[in-house]
Structure formats: structure tokens, C-alpha cells
Amino acid sequence: MTENQNGRPGHWIPPGKPTDIPPGVQPESEGKLLCLECGLWFRQLGQHVVAKHDMSADDYRRDHELPRGFGLHSTPVKAVRRQTQRAKWDTDPEFRATLRPKRSREELAELSKVAGRDSLRRAGVRAARRTGGTVAKYGHLGTAARKAKLAAEIAERCRAAGFAGIEELFTRHPELTNQEIASLLGITKGRVDKMRRRLGFEAPGRWAKGYVVKNPALLPAIPADELAAVPHGTQPTRNGHLLCLECGRWFKTLVQHVSVMHGVKMAGYLARHGIDPHETRARELGYASLTDLLTATADWNGTDLAELLGVTQRKTRELRHRHGFTPPRGARPVGFVPRTPRPHPPLSAAELAAVPYGRQPERDGQLVCLECGTWTRGLAAHAVAKHQIGAEDYRARHGLPSDLKLHRRPTSTRTP
């Protein structure tokens, strides 16, 4: 077994300079790098080549055609150094100041160009290029010829997608983001952004007017007569997209679209079009309605029913209570106050006006807000958050005693 410079046994390899390793390849195994000069393995190859072979790290990279920025340290050593440098960056401001560039941007740009031209001639850089990338495909051409080839390729992809060119795509669909157009054409997001800027088009903001959320397939919107013919209570889908029943356009998610473009929450959208996800789930399971499913599973416990519907046990209790079904095990006796009581419907304006002055109604451990009619356990917090009035102002406005508590603690005791 051969020993490395620290006296520790290294990986065995025939002595002498390796000859069967192609240029631009730096072997690594079990957390050690192979020295391409002597054939021994080391965790930190940079120190070894300086001490034993009288050459700098840059000379080693150049002789073996490795990229200019290739680190001559093994992966475990790199991980330890990375953690140390990050901790030092967070705690030492002087260290952060030393890492600021000492050269101007023009100097750095020129040095980057020189380094890039030098690296392109090395075998390690050529081997590490991305398969099918633009540099690998057109790297042998000059700058002008490479740009012409890329423009022709993008124009061909636009024609395959149904557009005469990239300008027509930007003009007809200004609401699409760079990522969506990149997914459609099969190019990078950065290239789409460069083309937008060069042609004078602006990318849409996240909340811009007309912004379409995640619509890479460009499914055409259905006409108004077809939209009116959609049966009430159904939500059409196509190719993984959902149809917006407000405007007739297709989206992968409707939550953000209906909120931004139509100003309604998802609950209001479902209620407006009569869409009940639980009814849909019941029809998927082969039942005519949710009522038939609850009738067939009347003797099931909450856990089994929740697993069948894909909801929580609390939701199954709410569904059974809404449709008039009693839980199969131990119906709760009269006077039982649950820890999380079901929300009561708010009082109407007429019912709220009929409450006598100086009285605070209470029901099932909840207090009604005399400002809006909502039932809640924490009335003081509700008055501050919703109506911007404190507890004392609330009591004074409605003639309540000054020592009346405006909250109720949850309890789970059963009354005999």
C-alpha cells in the first residue's frame, strides 16, 4: 500500500504518471483526488503539487486541461470549508469587506472574457458542456453566425407552436410570463427575457392586469354560448387544466385567477356555480349524490369516512350534521358543549335589532357580536380586529356592565 505525503495509506495505483486518463478529467474516489503527476491520492491536491512537483495550482490545471476555476480539493474538504466560510461571513464584517472586488467592473468584465476564451480551449470545459446546449451545438461558429443559428431555431419552434415568429407570440400573448413562454418553446427563461428586452416588450408583473396564471398550453378560450351550456354544478377539465366558469379560459389553478381577475374568493366561486367537491367525490365513487353516500356509510366511524372522502374527521362531522345524519357512535347528549363548537349562522339585521339594549346573548359557549351579528368565543378580540373598538367602548355602546367578560373558555365537560 502506498503512503501519501501525510504518512497515511492512500489508494493503490501503479507508480508514475497516469497515462490512461484522458485530458480534462480529474478522478475522485472515497473523498480523495488523484494526482495526475505521480499517481497518488490526496484530499488537498493543491498543497501536494506545490510541495512535491514544484508547480502552482494554475499550472496543474493548464497542463491537464482542467477548467480555470476547478477546485483541487475533495468533496468533503469543500463542504467543511463552505460551512466555515458561511459562518465567518455571518459573524465577521471585516471578512465581508475583504471579499469585495478590488477592481472596477470594466476590468472584471475584461478578465472574465479572457478567462472564458482560455477555458473554452480546455478539454475539461468541453466535456462538461450541457448536452444539446447552444454552446455545444454552435460553439464552433463565430458570434454573428451563432446568433443567426439561434434565431432560426427559435423561429422554427415558434412556427411549430402556431406563430409566425417570436414577435407575434409576444404581441398576441403579452400576459404570459418568461417561464411559460420558455416551457412552450423549450428554451431557457433568461433567453426569453433577453428577447423581450431586445424587441421592446415588457414582461407582465405578478399582479398586472390581464395576467394569466400558469397557462403554458395556450388552450383557446371557449365561446360564450358553450360556456353558458356548461351544466350548473360541474367543473370541466381538459389536459390537466380547469375551465374558469367566469371568463371561459383554461388554467392549471383557479384560486389565484378568480381572486386577481374576478375579485372573488374560491369559496364564493364554488357557491356561485353550485360546485361542491364532496358531491363530485361521491359521484366519482359511484353514488348518485353525497346523501346516498352518507346513507350507505351511516354505520361507519369518522376515520373510515374521512379516508374515503379524503377530508378530515371534523369535516365528516360537519357533512353529517348538515345532511341530518347522526354519528354512529355515542351521540352527544343535550347540553354538551364541544371544545370547538360549530359556528352558528350570524344574526340578521332584524334579529340584531330585536336584541334588548343592555343584553349580551350567548349560545353554546359563544357570544354574539352586537355590531355585526357574528358568533364568537373571543368577543373582545373580534371587536378590536373587525370593528376597531376596544372592550370598554363596546360595553358602553351597548349598555353592558363594566365587569362583563367578553370571552368564553372552551370546555368539554358533559352535563349529567
Side-chain angles (χ1 to χ4, degrees):
M1 181 69 72
T2 308
E3 293 186 354
N4 59 18
Q5 65 174 359
N6 297 323
R8 299 174 182 173
H11 297 63
W12 168 253
I13 198 168
K17 188 173 183 177
T19 58
D20 57 343
I21 298 176
V25 178
Q26 176 58 66
E28 180 176 0
S29 176
E30 299 181 5
K32 293 183 179 181
L33 298 175
L34 174 66
C35 177
L36 299 175
E37 294 290 329
C38 63
L40 297 181
W41 297 81
F42 301 89
R43 292 186 177 87
Q44 301 188 36
L45 194 55
Q47 298 178 1
H48 164 73
V49 297
V50 171
K52 297 298 182 180
H53 303 296
D54 194 19
M55 60 190 308
S56 64
D58 290 336
D59 296 337
Y60 179 86
R61 298 188 190 96
R62 182 177 60 255
D63 292 348
H64 299 286
E65 299 191 34
L66 298 174
R68 289 172 61 98
F70 187 86
L72 299 181
H73 308 286
S74 61
T75 302
V77 175
K78 291 179 181 178
V80 173
R81 289 193 173 185
R82 187 183 303 112
Q83 295 177 359
T84 305
Q85 295 292 333
R86 285 181 178 177
K88 194 173 181 180
W89 174 273
D90 295 335
T91 57
D92 191 353
E94 296 182 359
F95 176 71
R96 293 196 294 267
T98 58
L99 294 181
R100 293 174 181 172
K102 302 298 188 298
R103 298 184 175 91
S104 63
R105 292 188 176 182
E106 291 76 12
E107 277 186 279
L108 294 175
E110 187 62 29
L111 291 174
S112 178
K113 292 180 181 179
V114 174
R117 289 193 295 267
D118 185 20
S119 293
L120 284 176
R121 293 191 293 266
R122 300 188 180 184
V125 177
R126 295 196 299 269
R129 285 176 181 170
R130 185 158 45 92
T131 304
T134 56
V135 177
K137 294 171 63 176
Y138 308 124
H140 61 285
L141 301 176
T143 303
R146 184 168 62 249
K147 288 183 178 180
K149 287 283 187 179
L150 291 176
E153 181 180 350
I154 293 175
E156 182 179 354
R157 295 188 181 187
C158 290
R159 287 191 293 271
F163 303 95
I166 191 66
E167 295 88 350
E168 182 182 352
L169 175 58
F170 288 152
T171 304
R172 288 175 53 184
H173 298 282
E175 74 280 357
L176 294 180
T177 62
N178 296 334
Q179 182 61 51
E180 293 166 352
I181 295 180
S183 302
L184 176 66
L185 300 180
I187 58 179
T188 61
K189 182 174 63 174
R191 187 166 298 280
V192 176
D193 183 64
K194 290 181 180 179
M195 290 189 294
R196 276 190 192 270
R197 296 176 184 273
R198 188 178 70 250
L199 298 175
F201 292 91
E202 294 184 359
R206 184 175 178 85
W207 304 106
K209 184 177 181 181
Y211 173 61
V212 181
V213 181
K214 293 184 180 179
N215 188 18
L218 298 178
L219 295 176
I222 66 174
D225 53 348
E226 295 184 14
L227 185 62
V230 176
H232 185 71
T234 60
Q235 175 61 66
T237 60
R238 181 188 300 174
N239 295 337
H241 289 63
L242 299 172
L243 176 66
C244 176
L245 298 175
E246 298 286 334
C247 60
R249 304 174 73 178
W250 298 87
F251 301 90
K252 285 191 174 180
T253 174
L254 286 177
V255 178
Q256 189 177 11
H257 167 71
V258 298
S259 175
V260 175
M261 303 303 297
H262 304 294
V264 295
K265 294 184 178 181
M266 197 61 192
Y269 173 85
L270 296 176
R272 180 182 301 179
H273 299 284
I275 301 172
D276 189 351
H278 308 299
E279 291 283 354
T280 305
R281 176 61 177 166
R283 288 193 291 269
E284 292 177 356
L285 295 173
Y287 297 90
S289 63
L290 180 61
T291 305
D292 295 345
L293 186 147
L294 295 177
T295 303
T297 59
D299 56 342
W300 288 28
N301 57 28
T303 303
D304 296 338
L305 182 58
E307 184 177 355
L308 178 66
L309 294 177
V311 296
T312 61
Q313 296 188 39
R314 179 177 180 179
K315 177 59 70 174
T316 60
R317 292 195 297 268
E318 293 179 1
L319 293 175
R320 279 173 164 166
H321 176 73
R322 185 190 309 168
H323 292 272
F325 290 89
T326 308
R329 293 184 180 179
R332 292 172 176 174
V334 178
F336 174 78
V337 180
R339 182 173 293 275
T340 54
R342 300 186 184 94
H344 299 296
L347 299 182
S348 62
E351 294 174 340
L352 201 59
V355 176
Y357 182 75
R359 180 185 172 189
Q360 176 59 60
E362 180 178 356
R363 179 182 177 186
D364 292 342
Q366 300 185 39
L367 301 172
V368 68
C369 176
L370 298 176
E371 297 286 335
C372 60
T374 304
W375 294 88
T376 177
R377 286 202 303 261
L379 186 54
H382 169 81
V384 173
K386 299 297 183 181
H387 308 292
Q388 289 77 42
I389 58 175
E392 296 181 359
D393 296 338
Y394 178 87
R395 295 189 190 96
R397 180 178 299 185
H398 299 286
L400 302 176
S402 58
D403 58 346
L404 178 65
K405 294 184 178 180
L406 298 182
H407 66 276
R408 293 294 181 269
R409 295 180 178 275
T411 177
S412 59
T413 58
R414 296 179 183 268
T415 58

